[in-house]
Amino acid sequence: MFKIVEKRILNDSMTLMAVEAPYIAKKAKAGQFIILRVNEFGERIPLTVADYDREKGTITIIYQKVGKTTLMLDQLNVGDEILDFIGPLGKATELEGYKNVAVIGGGAGCAIAYPQAKALHSMGTKVDMIAGFRSKDIIILEDEMKAASDRLMITTDDGSNGNKGFVTDALRKNIEEGTKYDLVIAIGPLVMMRAICNLTKEYNIKTLISMNPIMIDGTGMCGGCRLTVGGKTKFACVDGPDFDGHEVDFDEAIKRSRTYADLEKEATREYNCRLMEGANNA
Amino acid sequence: MPNMSPVKTPMPEQEPNVRNKNFEEVALGYTDEMAAEEAKRCLNCKNKPCVSGCPVGVRIPEFIQRVAEGDMEGAYQIIKTTNSLPAVCGRVCPQESQCEQKCVRGIKGEPVGIGRLERYVADWHMKHGAPEEFDVKPNGHKVAVIGAGPAGLTCAGDLAAMGYSVTVYEALHTAGGVLMYGIPQFRLPKEIVQKEIDALKEKGVKIKTDMVMGKVLSVDELFEMGFEAVFIGTGAGLPNFMNIPGEGLIGTYSANEFLTRVNLMKAYLDEYDTPIIRPKNVAVVGGGNVAMDAARTAKRLGAENVYIIYRRAEEQMPARKEEIHHAKEEGIIFKLLCNPIAIHGDDDGRVKAIECVEMELGEPDASGRRRPIAKEGSNFEIPVDSVVMAIGNSPNPLIRSTTEGLEANSHGCIVVDDTTMATTREGVYAAGDAVSGAATVILAMGGGKEAARSIDKYIQSKHSK
């Protein structure tokens, strides 16, 4: 059992939790992830390590409430326990040897991009961070991202923060203004990462993306998370989750991500109904 | 008077057309009368050839004698001296190629149903046996076991019985390895595995789940923590794919994923959250026990047509005869001498057909099996909405890639001394599928047992110096 020691509502759909997991906290690195199971009937879901505190022995996760399991996780509070919490999994991002990096996060992906920016920034690398959100009221981690970068650009799809556009627009602008990036890290929805990769290909800039396929065990024993990278089958949980974005078969990954869409919708609907029932009976 | 019937006392089973719609155990086990009757078929041979066929050396005629006399607890105690998981072994061992193959009664008729009797005794004990008392003096030495599958659990159980303080580290949230995630409920009920594991815990074996060794702790750190020896029983859990077009389509699974979702995550039960596709038409590629398990599982999830696609003939199938027989009874369709070359999908990326070629058997290859050769122009398609790849597993590289001085062969199997199970690194032992590649539960247990003996010798000799 793993105790929740901090819970912070970041916006309507996103929550941060710090969880006591001393063994994992000792080893975790930027780019790695954990798998958790809320209770005995629960499924195993992967979440990126957003931060860690080796001394306190805690791991920070940030999740978006998108379906039954994340909604169920969100019912837990400080002092409650998560049944299973497993990690650190996957390979750490290789951040050594770059001078000028653009770190790009899309929505909830900012929670994953932020630790990368923080790690790079603390190594003395020049970091431009570009964060994209649908609108102003769902912006998260603004202060943290600012502290972890030399420049922070936050775009909104609807322009409600005064900076309308997509993260691709912001990246193109920086490149055209003459910023010479030797690496772009992009983390967010698959379609966003694909758009970034198409752009960076034009300029021949190395681009790392963090893939988020469906996972079960997260240790390489099932291949549920497999992707085609450079024409070869790779398991995101052990070979990744970072990959060279110019090599990834996005079309396949996007299709595979929808494997259980109907079953997921149904589970979420049922769960919400039961929550409502509970609230009405209370 | 021995029972001279040339055939085994039959064991009751669920009807094929009933059981292929549920996940309950297929074989129902002997009644007291059946067990007594079968036990009397044993001739109590002096040289006990059956025992030499058992990888963990169960004292077979002795325990069967007790069953014949009606002393079930006595029988259980005899089995337990050499076998930590009798209820499991009685169910999943390939007895026909082990103990029962050596049985004298098998020369003119069927061998004694040793597996069935072992199962009966273990089940009897679970129902009626008195709680076991352990009177083992701790010897003050600590041993770590990596992996809670059959090899690790056996090694841990044996070491605990010798007085060692044993900690087992398991990556998944449940101990048991393939017994929990791989072999289906209808062949091996999970409640039974859990009881065997609980019995080990009562013996003092500590089991820490959710610990991905190599990631969260290294072998070096285990030694720093005061463990004097480490046993590696991490199995062969890395699934192979064929690398044919279409393996990324929705509805394609490795057998490991398919079975893990169903067995470990209980996707077949509504109250569990893990989803699974419930396909109408399924192709399972492969001819081993895992392929049979996956095919029979698919049928139970409600599939109408389940095909086993295997590139050789039935005689070459590595699966147990009994499993092939059960699968056929349950309506699984066998497409033999047939090899997939591509999986085709629809516009949404979902599987819609598997394309195969017919094969014929050529000259024997290096392994002695006749090599299958594709017949040109024989391509044909089977419409399916799911494909399960059950073409074997390789050892997971996590431990060997994070442990210095641990040698592995070109297949990724850890290299050990055949008799002591010692690896190339001092104080580190290994056995089971991590060493042999995918094999059987009982061979893994035999290796775990051998390693426990060697670890004891190693630690004792270190301290007597």
Side-chain angles (χ1 to χ4, degrees), chain B residues 279-325:
Chain B
K280 281 268 164 290
N281 300 292
V282 187
V284 176
V285 182
N289 288 320
V290 176
M292 299 305 136
D293 285 347
R296 297 170 72 195
T297 297
K299 191 82 188 178
R300 284 160 172 78
L301 288 172
E304 284 160 20
N305 298 300
V306 182
Y307 307 92
I308 289 270
I309 298 181
Y310 181 57
R311 62 195 183 128
R312 292 182 158 103
E314 185 171 331
E315 303 81 71
Q316 284 96 21
M317 277 197 165
R320 291 185 68 188
K321 288 243 154 39
E322 186 187 329
E323 302 309 326
I324 296 171
H325 172 70

Side-chain angles (χ1 to χ4, degrees), chain B residues 171-202:
Chain B
L172 288 172
H173 58 259
T174 305
V178 78
L179 307 176
M180 280 297 191
Y181 75 74
I183 303 173
Q185 180 79 5
F186 55 81
R187 244 177 8 105
L188 179 64
K190 302 304 143 218
E191 305 79 53
I192 285 176
V193 183
Q194 194 54 53
K195 275 189 191 159
E196 299 266 39
I197 292 170
D198 291 344
L200 281 177
K201 284 190 197 162
E202 273 165 37

Side-chain angles (χ1 to χ4, degrees), chain B residues 32 35-37 39-40 44 61-75 78:
Chain B
D32 300 349
E37 200 183 319
K40 286 183 185 131
N44 201 6
E62 281 180 68
F63 97 75
I64 292 182
Q65 240 18 63
R66 300 289 168 95
V67 176
E69 290 159 11
D71 175 12
M72 304 314 165
E73 188 57 31
I78 289 169

Side-chain angles (χ1 to χ4, degrees), chain A residues 8-16 62-66 105-111 131-145 154-161 165 189:
Chain A
R8 211 163 90 207
I9 312 292
L10 299 178
N11 65 31
D12 281 353
S13 72
M14 270 186 265
T15 309
L16 173 153
I62 295 174
Y63 57 88
Q64 187 170 22
K65 291 178 271 176
V66 291
C110 291
F133 296 92
R134 264 196 329 275
S135 65
K136 190 177 105 188
D137 45 308
I138 59 166
I139 293 172
I140 56 163
L141 301 173
E142 188 170 353
D143 295 338
E144 284 90 343
M145 291 191 292
I154 299 183
T155 63
T156 48
D157 300 359
D158 66 359
S160 51
N161 76 334

Side-chain angles (χ1 to χ4, degrees), chain A residues 2 23-24 26-27 32 37 39-44 68-69 72 83-91 214-217 219-226 228 233 235 238 252 255-256 258-264, chain B residues 169 171-174 181 208-212 215-218 221 225 237-239 241 243 247-254 256-257 260-261 264-265 271-277 346-350 393 396 398:
Chain A
F2 300 81
Y23 280 111
I24 307 175
K26 240 168 97 180
K27 291 287 174 71
Q32 290 188 299
R37 192 168 70 123
N39 64 30
E40 201 196 321
F41 297 100
E43 60 181 344
R44 296 165 65 104
K68 181 177 176 185
T69 299
M72 224 159 59
L83 181 59
D84 297 295
F85 202 81
I86 303 145
L89 301 169
K91 286 187 180 153
I214 293 167
M215 287 188 189
I216 304 97
D217 62 289
T219 62
M221 65 168 259
C222 84
C225 65
R226 67 193 183 278
T228 306
T233 298
F235 292 2
V238 288
E252 182 187 87
K255 281 176 181 163
R256 279 182 70 79
R258 297 190 193 122
T259 302
Y260 300 102
D262 294 345
L263 293 168
E264 283 162 2
Chain B
Y169 293 97
L172 288 172
H173 58 259
T174 305
Y181 75 74
K208 294 201 185 297
T209 53
D210 291 349
M211 295 291 275
V212 184
K215 286 282 182 192
V216 74
L217 281 177
S218 66
E221 283 168 304
M225 287 161 72
L238 191 73
F241 286 91
N243 298 316
E247 279 180 312
L249 290 165
I250 299 176
T252 52
Y253 287 105
S254 72
N256 270 11
E257 178 183 357
T260 298
R261 283 181 180 271
L264 181 72
M265 306 310 296
E271 60 268 39
Y272 287 81
D273 291 338
T274 302
I276 188 145
I277 293 176
D346 62 17
D347 292 342
D348 293 333
R350 291 181 187 271
N393 290 320
N396 192 309
L398 205 47

Side-chain angles (χ1 to χ4, degrees), chain B residues 196-451:
Chain B
E196 299 266 39
I197 292 170
D198 291 344
L200 281 177
K201 284 190 197 162
E202 273 165 37
K203 251 183 175 173
V205 173
K206 292 176 276 297
I207 300 182
K208 294 201 185 297
T209 53
D210 291 349
M211 295 291 275
V212 184
M213 304 307 274
K215 286 282 182 192
V216 74
L217 281 177
S218 66
V219 168
D220 295 286
E221 283 168 304
L222 288 173
F223 282 113
E224 282 165 28
M225 287 161 72
F227 291 104
E228 293 176 63
V230 174
F231 173 77
I232 301 171
T234 46
L238 191 73
N240 300 336
F241 286 91
M242 291 186 79
N243 298 316
I244 56 173
E247 279 180 312
L249 290 165
I250 299 176
T252 52
Y253 287 105
S254 72
N256 270 11
E257 178 183 357
F258 189 68
L259 293 170
T260 298
R261 283 181 180 271
V262 176
N263 298 327
L264 181 72
M265 306 310 296
K266 307 214 182 303
Y268 67 102
L269 297 173
D270 280 345
E271 60 268 39
Y272 287 81
D273 291 338
T274 302
I276 188 145
I277 293 176
R278 287 182 183 255
K280 281 268 164 290
N281 300 292
V282 187
V284 176
V285 182
N289 288 320
V290 176
M292 299 305 136
D293 285 347
R296 297 170 72 195
T297 297
K299 191 82 188 178
R300 284 160 172 78
L301 288 172
E304 284 160 20
N305 298 300
V306 182
Y307 307 92
I308 289 270
I309 298 181
Y310 181 57
R311 62 195 183 128
R312 292 182 158 103
E314 185 171 331
E315 303 81 71
Q316 284 96 21
M317 277 197 165
R320 291 185 68 188
K321 288 243 154 39
E322 186 187 329
E323 302 309 326
I324 296 171
H325 172 70
H326 276 149
K328 281 187 177 166
E329 277 188 336
E330 287 168 15
I332 309 297
I333 305 156
F334 283 64
K335 295 272 182 195
L336 302 168
L337 288 165
C338 173
N339 202 31
I341 55 165
I343 304 165
H344 300 297
D346 62 17
D347 292 342
D348 293 333
R350 291 181 187 271
V351 172
K352 65 172 190 192
I354 186 163
E355 183 179 346
C356 305
V357 283
E358 289 174 22
M359 310 293 279
E360 54 196 351
L361 292 179
E363 294 299 309
D365 63 13
S367 74
R369 292 195 296 181
R370 292 177 65 192
R371 203 164 59 87
I373 303 161
K375 282 195 217 166
E376 218 169 299
S378 64
N379 300 37
F380 66 101
E381 283 188 18
I382 307 172
V384 290
D385 47 358
S386 185
V387 174
V388 180
M389 288 291 170
I391 53 166
N393 290 320
S394 310
N396 192 309
L398 205 47
I399 293 294
R400 64 165 202 271
S401 65
T402 55
T403 308
E404 246 178 85
L406 201 62
E407 213 176 284
N409 69 17
S410 59
H411 298 289
C413 300
I414 296 172
V415 173
V416 297
D417 180 287
D418 285 350
T419 51
T420 63
M421 302 293 149
T423 67
T424 48
R425 166 111 187 236
E426 192 193 327
V428 180
Y429 295 76
D433 288 2
V435 166
S436 60
T440 62
V441 169
I442 190 70
L443 284 173
M445 291 177 59
K449 198 166 207 44
E450 216 43 72

